[in-house]
Amino acid sequence: MKQLTRLALAGAVAAFGTGAVAQELFTPNLSYRTGPFAATGIPLMNGQKDYMDMLNARDGGIGGIPINFEECETGYSTEKGVECYERTKGAAIVTQPWSTGITLQVLPKTNVDQIPILAPGYGFSPMSDGKTFQWAFNPPASYWDGASMLLQAISDGDLSNLEGKKIAHLHLDHPYGKEPLPLFEAMAEKHGFELLPIPVGLSEMQNQSAQWLQIRRERPDFVIMWGWGAMNAGAITEAVKTRYPMDQFVGVWWSGHSDDLQLVGEDGAGYRAISWSLPNPDAPVMAAIREHVVDTGKTLASAEELDEVFYGRGVVISAILAEGIRVAQEMHGTAEISAPQLRDGLANLDFTQARIDELGLTGMMAPFSTSCSDHTGHSGGWMIEWDGAKFVQASDLLTADRAAIDPLEAEKAAEYAAANAPWPVNEDCDS
């Protein structure tokens, strides 16, 4: 059936090609290549851009229609992000907010504008509930998935081992940094560990002496970092300076950036982060990007960056969007899809291992699928560890404790809908 659908789509594209000139697929990206978060934003944006440029050069786009992957610079500012959303939404088939703060501001607009939000691995965790958040998608894993996997990693797979321990949550004082707190608080109460939230203000990111003085005084058994941009480098530098044990220092996937650890080199060995993507320079997709983008002088990335975690994650993120577009084209029998049609594609992703291999992404991501009710897919992730020179895989695939997360997710989704009433809920969405 899928083969027949692909043939039908190919026929539709061919027929379209004999008539009017193909339009573009406008997929704007609310990027941040400037400001205090640029160091982490740039490699992600480069990976995203290069994947789409590769599809344009190799395949003529997706379904024969070129992709316009225009960037609108936000500097990670929520205000600028909303301005970018309003400026680009007219012809867009998707919005990519690239900030939990921007995502939360745009989220209420989606029911009216009917443009899907694609926020891979970030945003409001209950967006996983497709019945409540019909236009929002955060595959392949939510922040609460990440928090759950980090707790598994530091407890050796048994959260009862954390009883009586003290865990510091060193986080950016921003919606992003506060996002995992509901799950951490629930797990602390259930499993008997003490949670110590330590916020880092935007003005303190590069000077965290006060926060690390508190860590020295409190002597937590583990520090979990929910950092971004300049905060990551500042925290890692302070950890080394204060001689905090690096094997007790772990981070979420946005706190696993190679450049941050290169500042301390071998002194950072043992630091770990959870990651739903892995770099694989030998993956076929990387060869295609080198052939069609790098070797033709179209990339903005350095040779070293191509082999690192964040660039590879950018590639995976654009692959998720491209697959959503392809699925939508197949479902609706047209290459020129609309934003509502893309929503259908994003709700029917099926990244089997076979499909991952077919896309050339072998070794870069784990299988997952989405549905009407599940807009995340919950692929799981791996712990990656800094060996003094680079990040290496340090665990088998971990998966989140959905039995612990699902009730909290349903509770918070219902609270959001009630607080923003009237909020449409898709009662027909059962799977």
Side-chain angles (χ1 to χ4, degrees):
M1 179 62 71
K2 286 187 177 180
Q3 181 64 24
L4 289 172
T5 306
R6 288 176 183 168
L7 289 172
L9 175 59
V13 172
F16 180 81
T18 63
V21 176
Q23 302 299 307
E24 65 182 18
L25 296 165
F26 185 41
T27 59
N29 200 25
L30 309 192
S31 60
Y32 47 97
R33 294 179 178 271
T34 63
F37 302 96
T40 40
I42 288 172
L44 288 161
M45 306 304 152
N46 286 346
Q48 286 185 278
K49 175 182 178 296
D50 285 359
Y51 184 84
M52 291 307 195
D53 283 349
M54 182 272 290
L55 292 183
N56 279 338
R58 187 189 68 184
D59 305 333
I62 305 171
I65 299 189
I67 308 145
N68 180 347
F69 202 70
E70 176 184 312
E71 294 185 7
C72 186
E73 177 64 36
T74 71
Y76 203 73
S77 160
T78 298
E79 181 180 357
K80 289 181 180 178
V82 174
E83 290 174 1
C84 279
Y85 170 77
E86 294 294 341
R87 188 185 314 155
T88 59
K89 72 179 184 180
I93 61 172
V94 68
T95 188
Q96 302 175 85
W98 263 120
S99 155
T100 297
I102 299 171
T103 303
L104 289 171
Q105 289 298 310
V106 171
L107 192 55
K109 302 174 183 288
T110 58
N111 292 322
V112 177
D113 296 336
Q114 297 193 340
I115 300 173
I117 292 173
L118 179 61
Y122 66 93
F124 186 43
S125 294
M127 292 191 320
S128 179
D129 179 357
K131 292 183 65 173
T132 304
F133 300 99
Q134 299 177 55
W135 294 92
F137 298 83
N138 58 346
S142 73
Y143 280 143
W144 291 356
D145 288 340
S148 173
M149 290 185 280
L150 283 170
L151 291 177
Q152 290 180 47
I154 64 175
S155 67
D156 296 324
D158 183 357
L159 269 62
S160 67
N161 291 334
L162 299 179
E163 184 174 0
K165 288 185 166 53
K166 183 184 295 185
I167 300 174
H169 173 52
L170 183 70
H171 64 280
L172 189 65
D173 194 10
H174 183 272
Y176 151 66
K178 300 171 185 176
E179 174 63 23
L181 280 170
L183 186 72
F184 279 149
E185 290 167 350
M187 294 299 96
E189 182 177 357
K190 180 177 180 180
H191 296 285
F193 62 85
E194 179 184 352
L195 180 67
L196 178 65
I198 304 179
V200 178
L202 296 179
S203 63
E204 302 172 292
M205 292 194 296
Q206 293 176 299
N207 182 10
Q208 298 174 37
S209 56
Q211 286 82 4
W212 284 89
L213 179 61
Q214 183 180 0
I215 289 171
R216 287 181 64 183
R217 184 173 61 247
E218 297 279 357
R219 300 173 64 85
D221 296 281
F222 294 96
V223 174
I224 296 179
M225 179 161 66
W226 226 266
W228 196 221
M231 176 186 157
N232 292 343
I236 288 163
T237 301
E238 287 288 344
V240 170
K241 187 188 301 183
T242 59
R243 299 185 179 180
Y244 187 80
M246 297 306 283
D247 60 354
Q248 294 170 228
F249 190 15
V250 298
V252 70
W253 36 75
W254 306 125
S255 298
H257 181 33
S258 302
D259 286 7
D260 298 331
L261 275 298
Q262 286 166 357
L263 294 172
V264 296
E266 292 185 2
D267 289 338
Y271 173 83
R272 293 173 292 161
I274 188 71
S275 182
W276 44 261
S277 65
L278 293 173
N280 181 8
D282 298 325
V285 72
M286 296 303 297
I289 288 172
R290 287 186 171 89
E291 177 185 353
H292 295 284
V293 183
V294 177
D295 294 346
T296 58
K298 295 179 182 178
T299 188
L300 299 175
S302 67
E304 180 183 48
E305 187 181 304
L306 295 173
D307 298 339
E308 294 178 346
V309 176
F310 273 26
Y311 181 92
R313 187 173 299 154
V315 169
V316 171
I317 287 170
S318 274
I320 291 171
L321 173 56
E323 187 71 352
I325 292 170
R326 184 195 64 79
V327 172
Q329 290 174 332
E330 287 191 357
M331 290 177 69
H332 294 282
T334 178
E336 290 188 279
I337 59 168
S338 64
Q341 289 171 335
L342 177 57
R343 179 187 68 168
D344 295 340
L346 293 172
N348 287 276
L349 296 172
D350 190 14
F351 277 94
T352 62
Q353 187 59 56
R355 183 57 182 157
I356 291 169
D357 294 341
E358 186 179 354
L359 290 170
L361 293 159
T362 305
M364 297 182 71
M365 62 185 296
F368 75 92
S369 61
T370 57
S371 67
C372 177
S373 61
D374 178 4
H375 282 191
T376 304
H378 314 292
S379 68
W382 303 269
M383 293 302 290
I384 56 175
E385 182 174 332
W386 183 252
D387 68 1
K390 63 185 182 301
F391 275 109
V392 296
Q393 182 179 340
S395 78
D396 293 331
L397 186 72
L398 301 172
T399 55
D401 182 359
R402 295 303 304 173
I405 296 173
D406 286 347
L408 185 63
E409 189 177 272
E411 175 190 340
K412 296 301 181 182
E415 284 181 8
Y416 185 97
N420 291 274
W423 185 269
V425 175
N426 184 1
E427 298 294 351
D428 296 328
C429 185
D430 295 324
S431 62

